[in-house]
């Protein structure tokens, strides 16, 4: 939809002919636009829909604008017809005809009756008997009304074209998920995922009703855009519920996985708890041995196996027998973590209890290693070394063994052996040598 040329003095015949040609082309363009708007799928849907909210308010204004557009177009058509009739009276228009044509084509010669303006969504329709326009201003006014009406129609149509179909697809997926959830015992009031499915169902139902009755409530205009229909559907609620449904599907998949490998996981749990019990029993036995064989040391107390884990394991087995997969899934996950922690605790207890025995074994090994080294160098019969060795050995192989005293005895033997091993080298090299690295 365009505009005519600027006003000016009395037009000559060529100017009139050019103006009429432009007006004729413009008339066709306006008519084509109005007919396209009239036949627009969004407009037809708006006419037949039970609208609410902002859409109902804007559609009431758009309907009045469309009605006014046709009234303006009829007035525009009549003015163009009158101008053509004056121009067609004679081949060479008279001065009076050219003056009339100039007034008609450039002056405020188009009058729209008050009855047509009564529904106008602007101050033009407030109590005026009629309104006069020039063809230029009339076209400008039609452009404004056309753009606002088309913007509203296109926006509503875009929302209706995008959201209801997507909501329906998501609702179908929701129904499939609900059936699957029901088959594995995920029901409202019994499992959080069942409650989520109920909430998603209610939200989608309400969302679809709102989108159908008030599509413009779900339209986000593009900032700074002057093109009709500039914007996008607001999918915030839809996207949120789609993500929530995906989370529920993952939860149900986890429940299905539990149904498939529940027995294997239960066997693994029993084995892990059994190993923890055996390790604790071994730690208790070792503690008694340490108390009998090691003196002057603190040995930590070994606690018994927690009965609550065995009770929960029995509960898990009961859930499996009754196919209560939705309850079994979180219980198994919790039990697996607790069983790993319990086995680790048992191993740490065994390590802590047997630490004194490990220290004694390390001292025995060190003593024997130095004895073997001394024997290789031909000093095994040295009386001083034999005395030191026998003293350390009696302490390490007697019960209860004082690890502190025994450690000092082993150190004394090491020092004596080191001194003897360094003495021949010092003599060969003519002076004392530092052999601390050999100890």
């Amino acid at each position: 939809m365009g505009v005519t040329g600027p006003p000016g003095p009395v037009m000559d015949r060529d100017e009139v002919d050019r103006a009429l040609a432009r007006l004729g082309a413009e008339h066709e363009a306006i008519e084509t636009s109005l007919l396209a708007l009239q036949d627009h799928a969004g407009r037809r849907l708006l006419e037949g829909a039970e609208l609410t909210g902002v859409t109902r308010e804007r559609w009431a204004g758009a309907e009045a604008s469309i009605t006014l557009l046709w009234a303006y177009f009829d007035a525009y058509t009549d003015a163009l017809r009158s101008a053509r009739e004056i121009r067609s009276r004679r081949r060479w228009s008279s001065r009076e005809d050219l003056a009339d044509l100039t007034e008609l084509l450039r002056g405020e010669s188009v009058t729209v009756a008050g009855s047509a303006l009564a529904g106008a969504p602007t101050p033009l329709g407030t109590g005026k008997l009629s309104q006069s326009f020039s063809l230029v201003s009339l076209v400008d006014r039609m452009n404004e009304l056309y753009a606002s009406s088309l913007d509203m129609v296109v926006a509503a149509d875009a929302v209706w074209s995008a959201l209801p179909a997507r909501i329906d697809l998501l609702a179908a997926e929701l129904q499939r998920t609900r059936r699957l959830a029901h088959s594995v015992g995920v029901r409202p009031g019994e499992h959080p995922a069942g409650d989520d499915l109920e909430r998603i169902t209610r939200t989608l139902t309400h969302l679809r009703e709102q989108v159908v009755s008030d599509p413009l409530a779900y339209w986000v205009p593009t900032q700074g855009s002057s093109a009709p229909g500039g914007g996008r559907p607001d999918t915030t609620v839809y996207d949120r519920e789609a993500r929530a449904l995906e989370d529920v599907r993952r939860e149900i998949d986890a429940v299905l996985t539990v149904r498939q490998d529940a027995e294997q996981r239960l066997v693994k749990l029993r084995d892990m708890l059994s190993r923890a019990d055996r390790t604790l029993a071994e730690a208790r036995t070792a503690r008694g041995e340490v108390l009998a064989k090691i003196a002057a040391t603190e040995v930590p107390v070994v606690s018994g196996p927690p009965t609550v884990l065995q009770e929960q394991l029995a509960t898990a087995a009961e859930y499996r027998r009754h196919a209560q997969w939705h309850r079994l899934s979180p219980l198994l996950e919790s039990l697996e973590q607790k069983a790993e922690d319990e086995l680790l605790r048992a191993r740490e207890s065994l390590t802590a209890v047997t630490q004194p025995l490990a220290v004694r074994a390390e001292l025995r090994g060190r003593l024997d290693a130095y004895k073997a080294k001394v024997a290789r160098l031909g000093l095994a019969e040295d009386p001083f070394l034999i005395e030191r060795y026998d003293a350390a050995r009696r302490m390490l192989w007697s019960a209860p063994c004082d690890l502190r005293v025994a450690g000092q005895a082993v150190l004394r033997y090491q020092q004596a052996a080191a001194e003897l091993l360094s003495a021949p080298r010092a003599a060969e090299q003519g002076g004392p040598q530092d052999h601390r690295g050999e100890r």
Side-chain angles (χ1 to χ4, degrees):
M1 300 174 75
V3 296
T4 60
V10 175
M11 304 167 67
D12 60 28
R13 188 184 64 218
D14 291 336
E15 287 177 326
V16 169
D17 289 342
R18 287 194 297 269
L20 288 174
R22 288 196 303 272
L23 289 169
E26 192 168 58
H27 180 273
E28 292 181 5
I30 294 172
E31 184 177 31
T32 300
S33 298
L34 289 177
L35 291 174
L37 178 61
Q38 194 71 15
D39 292 335
H40 197 287
R43 191 200 64 79
R44 293 198 300 270
L45 289 173
L46 285 165
E47 280 189 336
E50 295 183 3
L51 302 176
T52 60
V54 63
T55 306
R56 180 172 60 184
E57 295 176 5
R58 287 193 58 186
W59 175 237
E63 274 192 309
S65 295
I66 293 172
T67 301
L68 187 57
L69 266 172
W70 282 106
Y72 284 160
F73 179 70
D74 290 342
Y76 182 84
T77 302
D78 292 341
L80 178 59
R81 184 185 303 112
S82 298
R84 283 173 172 170
E85 288 176 354
I86 294 173
R87 179 64 185 88
S88 64
R89 289 174 184 170
R90 52 184 64 87
R91 181 177 180 183
W92 304 100
S93 298
S94 65
R95 180 71 179 176
E96 291 77 9
D97 289 344
L98 291 175
D100 292 341
L101 285 169
T102 299
E103 176 63 24
L104 186 58
L105 296 177
R106 291 182 174 176
E108 292 187 354
S109 57
V110 183
T111 301
V112 181
S115 58
L117 296 171
T122 67
L124 292 176
T126 56
K128 293 209 174 190
L129 296 178
S130 64
Q131 181 73 31
S132 296
F133 299 91
S134 67
L135 288 176
V136 173
S137 61
L138 184 59
V139 170
D140 288 341
R141 180 66 184 139
M142 284 193 288
N143 281 336
E144 293 174 5
L145 294 175
Y146 176 81
S148 63
S149 301
L150 183 63
D151 181 75
M152 188 270 172
V153 169
V154 170
D157 186 55
V159 173
W160 278 334
S161 298
L163 275 178
R166 295 174 68 181
I167 294 171
D168 290 343
L169 289 174
L170 189 61
E173 179 63 26
L174 173 63
Q175 292 304 316
R176 288 192 293 271
T177 304
R178 290 184 66 178
R179 289 193 293 269
L180 183 60
H182 187 80
S183 70
V184 295
V186 176
R187 299 179 177 87
E190 298 180 6
H191 193 281
D195 297 333
D196 289 340
L197 286 174
E198 286 299 302
R199 183 193 59 75
I200 295 171
T201 300
R202 292 193 299 269
T203 302
L204 285 182
T205 301
H206 180 64
L207 176 62
R208 196 184 194 287
E209 292 174 353
Q210 283 191 313
V211 166
V212 170
S213 65
D214 191 9
L216 295 186
Y218 295 88
W219 179 253
V220 181
T222 300
Q223 295 298 326
S225 174
S226 59
R232 60 175 179 80
D234 183 0
T235 61
T236 303
V237 178
Y238 169 86
D239 294 338
R240 184 190 66 210
E241 299 309 314
R243 289 193 298 269
L245 181 58
E246 181 62 28
D247 292 340
V248 172
R249 277 201 296 264
R250 283 196 293 267
E251 179 70 20
I252 294 172
D253 287 342
V255 174
L256 289 171
T257 301
V258 169
R259 184 170 66 177
Q260 293 169 357
D261 59 9
E263 182 57 30
Q264 180 181 357
R265 292 172 70 180
L266 284 171
V267 170
K268 185 177 178 181
L269 274 171
R270 293 190 188 99
D271 176 68
M272 195 178 300
L273 291 177
S274 177
R275 279 186 287 153
D277 290 349
R278 290 195 301 270
T279 303
L280 287 175
E282 183 180 351
R284 286 192 293 272
T285 301
R287 185 174 188 274
E289 181 182 354
V290 170
L291 291 175
K293 295 181 178 180
I294 307 297
T297 186
E298 291 292 334
V299 184
V301 177
V302 180
S303 63
T307 58
V308 64
L309 294 183
Q310 294 295 338
E311 294 172 356
Q312 290 179 349
L313 187 61
T315 301
E318 189 71 13
Y319 285 161
R320 181 185 177 277
R321 280 193 296 271
H322 292 86
Q324 294 179 313
W325 311 112
H326 61 292
R327 294 181 177 177
L328 179 59
S329 176
L331 181 56
L332 279 180
E333 291 180 3
S334 173
L335 269 175
E336 285 167 346
Q337 183 60 51
K338 291 177 181 178
E340 290 179 1
D341 294 342
E342 178 61 19
L343 182 57
L344 178 61
R345 184 184 72 86
R347 289 170 175 169
E348 290 174 346
S349 295
L350 179 60
T351 300
V353 165
T354 58
Q355 181 65 23
L357 295 178
V359 172
R360 187 185 67 172
E362 190 272 335
L363 290 173
R364 286 178 174 181
R366 192 192 312 168
L367 181 66
D368 290 342
Y370 262 87
K371 181 183 178 183
K373 185 175 182 180
V374 168
R376 286 197 305 271
L377 297 176
L379 300 175
E381 301 303 324
D382 184 88
F384 184 67
L385 286 181
I386 293 175
E387 179 186 350
R388 290 287 177 90
Y389 175 79
D390 289 343
R393 193 177 191 286
R394 280 194 304 272
M395 292 180 186
L396 287 173
W397 268 266
S398 63
C401 171
D402 190 323
L403 291 178
R404 184 182 62 82
V405 177
Q408 293 174 350
V410 172
L411 181 60
R412 287 194 294 270
Y413 177 71
Q414 289 176 317
Q415 291 171 342
E419 290 173 359
L420 286 177
L421 291 175
S422 62
R425 297 182 183 180
E428 292 173 2
Q429 298 177 11
Q433 301 292 323
D434 187 359
H435 294 279
R436 285 175 294 178
E438 297 180 5
R439 295 182 184 179

